[in-house]
Amino acid sequence: MAYFNTIKRSFADVDLSNGIDTNEFLEATEGMVKIFDVIGSTAFGFVQNDMNGNIKRLRLRYESNPEKNDTLEHLLEGESDESKRLATEGLLWLIRALDFTAKGLTRSLDNPDEELTYSFSVAYETTLRQYHNFLVRPVFAVSRYALYK
């Protein structure tokens, strides 16, 4: 239960009244990424590092002007005219990784006799695989294999 004590905010508590509150979304996401520490496998190091990198992109954009970037919608709007859209790209990949995590954990809970590696393998196939090239796919295969150790 120590994991739950480390979370600043749940996704259920993110204010959606005027759009998705950027800071609250980032706090909830930072808490979610810590779930990989609880699983305790280095297999998710790649995913965890990627998610933290994308959180950092969004946090830097947010902190550059918190009033202008108060919601994710405003943050994306503000970046829309720029040639490099680092926060937009970060949000896209972060959402994909959150979907992967949610599907892997949900499948594991729904199938308690199933190996965690299989649950996340199925989640990978249905969420991230289509966006990864032939160089990245083996990294995920090795990561999933590391769950057995």
Side-chain angles (χ1 to χ4, degrees):
M1 288 298 168
Y3 163 73
F4 294 105
N5 295 331
T6 67
I7 297 174
K8 287 183 185 178
R9 184 175 311 277
S10 164
F11 283 108
D13 298 327
V14 174
D15 183 12
L16 305 174
S17 60
N18 294 311
I20 302 168
D21 184 284
T22 302
N23 190 53
E24 292 179 4
F25 172 80
L26 291 173
E27 287 178 349
T29 304
E30 289 164 341
M32 181 67 216
V33 172
K34 291 178 184 178
I35 193 74
F36 295 116
D37 292 331
V38 174
I39 293 172
S41 174
T42 58
F44 291 108
F46 179 78
V47 175
Q48 192 173 24
N49 289 337
D50 186 61
M51 291 176 80
N52 283 327
N54 289 317
I55 290 167
K56 184 177 179 180
R57 285 181 177 191
L58 288 159
R59 174 110 14 235
L60 286 171
R61 181 69 184 205
Y62 168 74
E63 289 175 352
S64 72
N65 190 338
E67 289 178 14
K68 183 179 176 184
N69 299 311
D70 61 335
T71 66
L72 290 177
E73 293 84 355
H74 291 149
L75 184 144
L76 297 175
E77 255 178 54
E79 196 176 59
S80 66
D81 293 335
E82 297 176 17
S83 61
K84 289 190 176 186
R85 297 180 184 105
L86 297 177
T88 301
E89 182 181 307
L91 181 60
L92 173 66
W93 281 102
L94 189 56
I95 290 169
R96 288 174 178 170
L98 287 169
D99 187 36
F100 162 73
T101 304
K103 284 188 169 58
L105 292 172
T106 299
R107 182 173 177 98
S108 182
L109 288 170
D110 290 345
N111 300 283
D113 294 332
E114 186 174 276
E115 290 287 334
L116 190 60
T117 186
Y118 187 77
S119 297
F120 275 91
S121 292
V122 171
Y124 177 76
E125 291 297 320
T126 61
T127 59
L128 294 174
R129 186 179 189 280
Q130 64 184 320
Y131 305 111
H132 288 161
N133 63 32
F134 70 97
L135 296 173
V136 176
R137 288 178 188 158
V139 172
F140 272 83
V142 169
S143 294
R144 291 187 314 260
Y145 174 75
L147 281 170
Y148 285 119
K149 299 197 182 284

